[in-house]
Amino acid sequence: MQIHGGRVVARALKREGVPYVFTLCGGHVMSIYDGCLDEGIGVIDVRHEQSAAHAADGWARVTGRPGVAIVTAGPGLTDAVTGVATAWRANIPMLVIGGQAPRFFQDMGGLQDMAHVDLMKPITKWAVSVPHARRLGEYVASAFRVATTNVPGPVFLEMPLDLLFDNVEDSEVVVPEQSRTEAGIAPDPRYVERAFELLRGAQRPVCLVGSQLFWSRRREAYPEFVRTFAMPIYVNGQARGSLDPEDPHWFLHTRKDALKRADVVLIFGTPLDFRLGYGRSSHINEAARLIHVDLDGRELGKNRGCDVGIIGDTGLVMEALTACARAARWTPELSRGWLGELRALERKKWEALAPQLTADETPVNPLRLCAEVDRLLTPATIVIGDGGDFVGSAANVLRPRGFGHWLDAGPLGTLGAGPGYAMAAKLASPRSDVIIMYGDGAFGLNMMEFEACIRQKINIVGVIGNDAAWTQILRGQVQMYGPDRTPACRLAPSRYDLMIEALGGHGEWVERPEQIRPALERALGAGKPALVNVRIGTSDFRKDAISV
């Protein structure tokens, strides 16, 4: 029996457990759609290829398994570059399949022909053109292995049109078996002992847990590690939501204070990049001893020397440290006062925010809007941040509960990722409320994805903090150049809610604080994609935040 190349690809995706692919239609890749129909794989279409890539990224952030985007050649792929680059900086495993002109017309000027592989190499773990139709499935299997092994990341496969439309004998198709391992990277025991010795002597330890916890092969070691060492825990990236906000070790507002006074800092699976001041004394106590754990040894000692650098899976390292503590019959008596001190400071900071969290002013205080959303979060709610200043506020107020329940673009700072993430999240977790916290600027980038959601009955809810400006940049302009020298940063207080209504969704316009909760409840219960457009004012909460 003969099958076409698109069916070979779809079969390979089915073997990898892929239930959906994300795409914007293209002639080069349409045979894959045909194969997906035969294999029972859902084909979810978007209005811009950037969103297809973001959706594949978002699928991985919610499920822990690589998502798949399929884009046509030329501009189809270039449109997806931003989404792939976002996943690259955030270490997200995903597969992008891109079309290409027929190989037998290579270098002859075929439609949308360009050097895709060269374009994608700097922002992927592996970029390659498949050489033969019978090997299409083999390359898909290899792509999943590369994307998920060691530090996760995106992979690109170019599939020329003639290979996808070619018919091959089913018996000749390469079908890899046992093509990858699920084993994690275990730490060097000697370095684990060194790290434990630093921790057992610490009076002011601080633990920062990053995204690699989410990808850990031993994530179940986390709760016991937290209880054993009783350190203040701060999370970022994919680790947000990993601790219940009621956990006595969970902290949100005191990270800067804690790091400035710490005597031992333990960092799991996050780099010393701009978010941590590159490890400099402006952000981390210069005298503190640093223990850094990462899957990539190249991060250890980067920007700041580390006293103990451990290459390994976050969960496996946590398990090994817990075993050391258990063997030594150790309890963290030295640092108990420190935990209480930070807890008191945390309460004080929340109390200082209370007037803004409950403010009745109009236009609505952005923190009041965030607080109203937070009150409606359940353990199943998935929250997505897509914006600048407003999302910066939301990240300091909203308290997601659960792994994969907070998604933001991460260190690339990409705007427009929200709807792709939301589509994937709702498909992956249909019973969850999926809420996008939008800046009004970010909403404009991919707003037409609401049409795709409405048409395909993917019921997401957007909440816009509408201050009619690119405020994160505007603030810096005003501070540096004055209020009369702010080009390109002003917007109109547009009725985006009416646009969503025109597309067939549910829209709400909110101008007063008491209108927020009823509007949110109606949106969440609308039974179709919804947008709550809230006119917000200013807040001094982020007055010193300048984005450069």
Side-chain angles (χ1 to χ4, degrees), residues 216-245:
S216 173
R217 304 296 202 271
R218 202 66 57 85
R219 207 161 67 185
E220 65 271 16
Y222 182 46
E224 187 177 0
F225 166 81
V226 172
R227 289 191 299 268
T228 299
F229 285 90
M231 286 187 284
I233 304 290
Y234 300 88
V235 296
N236 71 6
Q238 286 297 108
R240 279 187 63 111
S242 60
L243 275 186
D244 189 285

Side-chain angles (χ1 to χ4, degrees), residues 192 224 279 308 332 530:
V192 172
E224 187 177 0
V308 180

Side-chain angles (χ1 to χ4, degrees), residues 343-374:
R343 178 58 57 200
L345 182 58
E346 185 86 7
R347 282 195 299 268
K348 185 177 179 182
K349 295 211 169 193
W350 278 106
E351 289 166 1
L353 281 182
Q356 296 195 69
L357 297 173
T358 57
D360 288 328
E361 65 205 46
T362 55
V364 175
N365 188 297
L367 295 186
R368 170 68 186 269
L369 173 55
C370 294
E372 293 290 349
V373 175
D374 184 66

Side-chain angles (χ1 to χ4, degrees), residues 93-298:
M94 59 181 282
L95 168 60
V96 177
I97 295 172
Q100 177 59 289
R103 181 151 288 161
F104 53 77
F105 289 146
Q106 186 172 333
D107 299 324
M108 294 177 65
L111 174 66
Q112 297 180 327
D113 186 4
M114 60 175 291
H116 301 127
V117 172
D118 291 341
L119 175 70
M120 298 300 282
K121 278 183 177 178
I123 55 171
T124 57
K125 291 184 70 179
W126 187 41
V128 66
S129 186
V130 180
H132 196 281
R134 71 181 186 87
R135 299 187 68 189
L136 285 163
E138 174 192 352
Y139 273 75
V140 169
S142 296
F144 273 76
R145 180 177 65 248
V146 173
T148 58
T149 301
N150 299 333
V151 181
V155 170
F156 170 68
L157 296 181
E158 178 185 83
M159 297 184 178
L161 182 150
D162 49 338
L163 272 60
L164 289 174
F165 281 82
D166 192 14
N167 287 309
V168 296
E169 288 294 333
D170 198 354
S171 59
E172 294 181 1
V173 174
V174 180
V175 181
E177 300 290 342
Q178 299 178 321
S179 60
R180 67 177 184 273
T181 179
E182 295 294 324
I185 300 172
D188 185 325
R190 296 170 298 175
Y191 284 75
V192 172
E193 287 283 354
R194 293 176 191 174
F196 174 64
E197 289 302 320
L198 286 181
L199 290 170
R200 78 188 304 183
Q203 296 184 26
R204 298 183 304 281
V206 174
C207 184
L208 178 61
V209 180
S211 293
Q212 287 181 20
L213 173 65
F214 182 78
W215 309 110
S216 173
R217 304 296 202 271
R218 202 66 57 85
R219 207 161 67 185
E220 65 271 16
Y222 182 46
E224 187 177 0
F225 166 81
V226 172
R227 289 191 299 268
T228 299
F229 285 90
M231 286 187 284
I233 304 290
Y234 300 88
V235 296
N236 71 6
Q238 286 297 108
R240 279 187 63 111
S242 60
L243 275 186
D244 189 285
E246 302 304 317
D247 190 292
H249 307 99
W250 177 87
F251 292 83
L252 180 61
H253 288 295
T254 52
R255 189 179 82 173
K256 182 177 180 180
D257 306 271
L259 289 174
K260 287 284 287 181
R261 295 187 54 210
D263 57 1
V264 174
V265 176
L266 171 56
I267 298 177
F268 284 104
T270 199
L272 290 174
D273 60 12
F274 70 95
R275 292 168 294 181
L276 290 173
Y278 310 100
R280 296 172 181 169
S281 57
S282 59
H283 285 66
I284 300 176
N285 182 9
E286 192 171 14
R289 309 293 294 276
L290 177 62
I291 305 165
H292 199 174
V293 179
D294 203 281
L295 288 167
D296 186 354
R298 293 174 298 182

Side-chain angles (χ1 to χ4, degrees), residues 95 183 208 241 245 307 349 385 441 472 501 526 532 546:
L95 168 60
L208 178 61
D307 296 274
K349 295 211 169 193
Q472 188 155 300
E501 287 184 359
V532 181
I546 297 180

Side-chain angles (χ1 to χ4, degrees), residues 439-516:
D440 53 330
F443 178 74
L445 270 74
N446 285 309
M447 67 174 72
M448 279 304 293
E449 300 306 346
F450 265 83
E451 184 278 331
C453 289
I454 292 164
R455 175 168 39 83
Q456 295 170 97
K457 296 180 171 58
I458 304 171
N459 295 339
I460 64 174
V461 174
V463 178
I464 297 181
N466 189 340
D467 57 6
W470 298 92
T471 300
Q472 188 155 300
I473 309 304
L474 176 66
R475 180 185 295 108
Q477 284 184 322
V478 170
Q479 291 182 13
M480 295 176 71
Y481 307 114
D484 299 325
R485 301 183 67 82
T486 58
C489 279
R490 304 288 184 177
L491 299 170
S494 301
R495 292 294 303 275
Y496 303 112
D497 51 296
L498 296 179
M499 298 173 58
I500 300 308
E501 287 184 359
L503 293 169
H506 176 85
E508 296 269 358
W509 171 246
V510 173
E511 294 183 284
R512 299 190 59 79
E514 67 272 15
Q515 298 172 334
I516 299 171

Side-chain angles (χ1 to χ4, degrees), residues 20 33 66 310 312 329 343-344 387 522:
Y20 297 101
Y33 308 154
I310 300 176
R329 300 178 184 276
R343 178 58 57 200
R522 287 191 294 269

